[in-house]
Amino acid sequence: MTDIRSSVACNLDSHILRAALPLFADEKVGAIEWSFDALVNPRSMPDWFAELLRTYSGAGRLLGHGVFYSLFSGRWTGAQQQWLDQLKSLSRTYRFDHVTEHFGFMTGADFHKGAPMSIPFTESTLAIGRDRLLRLQDACHCPVGLENLAFAYTVDEVDRHGAFLNQLIEPVNGFIILDLHNLYCQSRNFGVDPDGLLSLYPLYRVREIHLSGGSWAPSAVEPGRTIRRDTHDDAVPADVFRLLKQAIDLCPNLRYVVLEQLGAGLQTDGQQSQFQQDFLWMDHIVQAANQIRNPLINHSFLPRRFHVPDPSPLEDPLLYAQQLELSDILETSVSYAQAQQRLAGSGLARSDWAVETWQPAMLETALAIAQKWKNGFD
Amino acid sequence: MKISKPLLQAMALAVAVTTVGSSCKDGLVKPKKEEAKKEQQRKLPDNCPACGMG
């Protein structure tokens, strides 16, 4: 049976759980996606949450969604190894139907700080990404996937993102999480037709779709322009539901559609009610697609054989130095003008990063994102 | 998917007794009453928001 399952991103957050409780009670939640690395202290997990994870795990309906692996860091760190060790241990406790991560590198000084930012699409970053995905697969021994990023500095990145993701996952026979709100952000921020954007992705490699909401931020450096940001703090826009209707029939190997929202956006009864309505509308679209779905298509997204990673993780010292420099510029510049000036005099100037082509409003947005998350969630 | 009644009741009880705060950190589900005070003093929350860092 290859029905698509309507799912929720379910973490240890009272607002999310309160919003999702009626959906659980009505047996609507077909799977849960757990960000296993967002739990700083596993010992504090209450018994009932562990039981919820075990229930979905036992039914083969638990998805692992990492945030902090920092796939493209130019240097291999002890924190990344610990992250893999934790995943390996959790994979013995829970059976993940698949495990995923985000595209990008984390700007923060350590785990649980910083935000994922884009990287140049080069031979070096491709090799590092593939190396990290092999280690990820070795740790969890299940299908692994990568999520498309919402943020981009240029329209060129937007155009090439799907193809680069496809190259990255090829050695692990991996899959793509197609985050439709991220696609919507790129479409709106760069004036690109969303249908055209969809066609740039290898849709047969999509095993999971994400739905969420976000927010608009006015640009000071490009007056009159507003930037769509993937903040997960509001309802799912109608345009994103429309994208779901289009994409769902184009993804023959789709198994999960996941509604994501941060607890911060689910504090009032009205917000929680809207979340439930969004889920039910999403489920309506999913069940309609299930009626006409070919049940014979069932891609495993497992490799023919599991590769044993090289004992020495691949590194690129120049890339790492550039990432450190960029993180510092993004986290500490007091203005767009200062950031631009510092970039022009940095090791990123006239390099693969192509900082000279970055759109002013997007650099401004990168500053806002990096500075919002530089202290983690304090 | 069906989940057991006792589990649903435990979840309902847990979210009902958790203080609703104005930030993600305040909204974390407290694992046990006796640990709640200690947990409030920790610098890092036990569970960060996952995605949405855009």
Side-chain angles (χ1 to χ4, degrees):
Chain A
M1 192 65 177
T2 57
D3 272 1
I4 304 166
R5 291 163 178 166
S6 298
S7 317
V8 290
C10 186
N11 293 301
L12 195 49
D13 179 295
S14 63
H15 304 301
I16 295 172
L17 289 160
R18 193 173 288 131
L21 197 57
L23 303 170
F24 282 113
D26 288 345
E27 303 175 15
K28 294 285 186 188
V29 182
I32 59 173
E33 182 167 83
W34 177 43
S35 286
F36 54 87
D37 60 352
L39 192 69
V40 177
N41 182 0
R43 283 178 303 172
S44 68
M45 187 194 290
D47 293 343
W48 59 265
F49 191 74
E51 179 61 25
L52 181 68
L53 295 177
R54 278 195 297 272
T55 298
Y56 277 88
S57 163
R61 293 163 180 253
L62 176 66
L63 313 177
H65 189 44
V67 182
F68 296 101
Y69 185 36
S70 198
L71 203 81
F72 293 98
S73 286
R75 195 177 77 174
W76 180 255
T77 66
Q80 284 171 303
Q81 187 56 56
Q82 281 174 22
W83 189 94
L84 287 180
D85 293 343
Q86 185 201 13
L87 173 59
K88 200 168 193 169
S89 167
L90 284 170
S91 296
R92 285 194 286 264
T93 306
Y94 305 107
R95 182 183 142 216
F96 293 112
D97 198 42
H98 65 224
V99 172
T100 54
E101 242 299 342
H102 293 77
F103 185 90
F105 82 99
M106 299 298 283
T107 51
D110 55 52
F111 270 37
H112 296 276
K113 292 181 180 172
M117 300 301 287
S118 193
I119 42 94
F121 301 165
T122 64
E123 286 300 318
S124 173
T125 54
L126 177 62
I128 285 175
R130 285 176 162 180
D131 176 86
R132 306 309 188 243
L133 282 171
L134 280 174
R135 291 171 202 284
L136 173 60
Q137 190 170 62
D138 182 59
C140 63
H141 269 249
C142 66
V144 297
L146 269 186
E147 177 178 340
N148 59 312
L149 189 61
F151 182 82
Y153 294 105
T154 67
V155 72
D156 181 59
E157 276 178 84
V158 171
D159 289 343
R160 296 169 57 205
H161 195 36
F164 194 67
L165 281 169
N166 197 27
Q167 286 181 281
L168 283 161
I169 59 179
E170 192 255 325
V172 291
N173 193 26
F175 65 91
I176 289 173
I177 294 183
L178 184 64
D179 188 310
L180 292 177
H181 186 260
N182 289 356
L183 202 81
Y184 173 71
C185 289
Q186 296 198 332
S187 157
R188 296 301 297 263
N189 291 341
F190 293 96
V192 184
D193 171 43
D195 297 348
L197 260 185
L198 263 183
S199 71
L200 296 176
Y201 281 79
L203 297 177
Y204 65 98
R205 288 223 165 256
V206 173
R207 191 172 204 245
E208 180 175 338
I209 281 178
H210 276 181
L211 293 190
S212 66
S215 55
W216 295 99
S219 168
V221 295
E222 295 185 49
R225 185 174 176 186
T226 53
I227 299 299
R228 182 69 184 182
R229 288 180 52 182
D230 184 46
T231 44
H232 289 199
D233 53 0
D234 202 357
V236 179
D239 283 344
V240 174
F241 275 121
R242 202 156 38 239
L243 269 175
L244 174 63
K245 280 186 182 173
Q246 288 172 257
I248 203 163
D249 293 330
L250 301 173
C251 300
N253 293 302
L254 182 64
R255 296 298 309 278
Y256 299 97
V257 180
V258 180
L259 179 61
E260 298 181 295
Q261 195 160 332
L262 289 185
L266 291 170
Q267 297 189 31
T268 68
D269 289 346
Q271 289 170 325
Q272 290 170 18
S273 172
Q274 181 63 52
F275 176 84
Q276 291 150 15
Q277 286 174 44
D278 281 353
F279 183 93
L280 293 175
W281 184 234
M282 174 185 92
D283 187 50
H284 172 77
I285 296 169
V286 165
Q287 298 313 332
N290 278 335
Q291 296 298 316
I292 56 168
R293 194 167 169 78
N294 181 349
L296 298 177
I297 297 177
N298 188 13
H299 196 308
S300 75
F301 292 109
L302 284 168
R304 282 187 189 153
R305 63 178 179 86
F306 285 97
H307 300 270
V308 179
D310 190 291
S312 303
L314 208 58
E315 295 190 308
D316 181 337
L318 174 62
L319 176 68
Y320 181 64
Q322 290 169 331
Q323 288 170 334
L324 284 182
E325 206 172 3
L326 177 59
S327 296
D328 185 52
I329 291 170
L330 294 179
E331 289 185 348
T332 62
S333 292
V334 294
S335 66
Y336 161 76
Q338 189 190 52
Q340 198 185 37
Q341 189 180 22
R342 290 175 69 188
L343 278 174
S346 75
L348 289 90
R350 297 170 299 282
S351 73
D352 290 328
W353 291 81
V355 295
E356 296 79 12
T357 67
W358 290 2
Q359 292 194 3
M362 298 316 294
L363 174 55
E364 181 187 34
T365 303
L367 288 170
I369 294 171
Q371 293 184 12
K372 179 179 177 182
W373 295 108
K374 71 177 175 182
N375 294 319
F377 305 96
D378 291 347
Chain B
M1 183 181 132
K2 186 178 175 67
I3 61 176
S4 72
K5 213 167 232 178
L7 176 53
L8 277 172
Q9 286 167 345
M11 290 169 66
L13 183 65
V15 297
V17 299
T18 304
T19 309
V20 178
S22 58
S23 72
C24 308
K25 187 177 177 183
D26 290 340
L28 294 171
V29 177
K30 303 296 183 280
K32 289 171 188 162
K33 274 185 187 170
E34 64 268 25
E35 287 183 10
K37 196 176 173 186
K38 272 190 218 165
E39 191 167 334
Q40 282 171 349
Q41 293 167 348
R42 285 186 201 139
K43 191 166 183 195
L44 285 172
D46 284 320
N47 205 350
C48 318
C51 296
M53 294 194 289

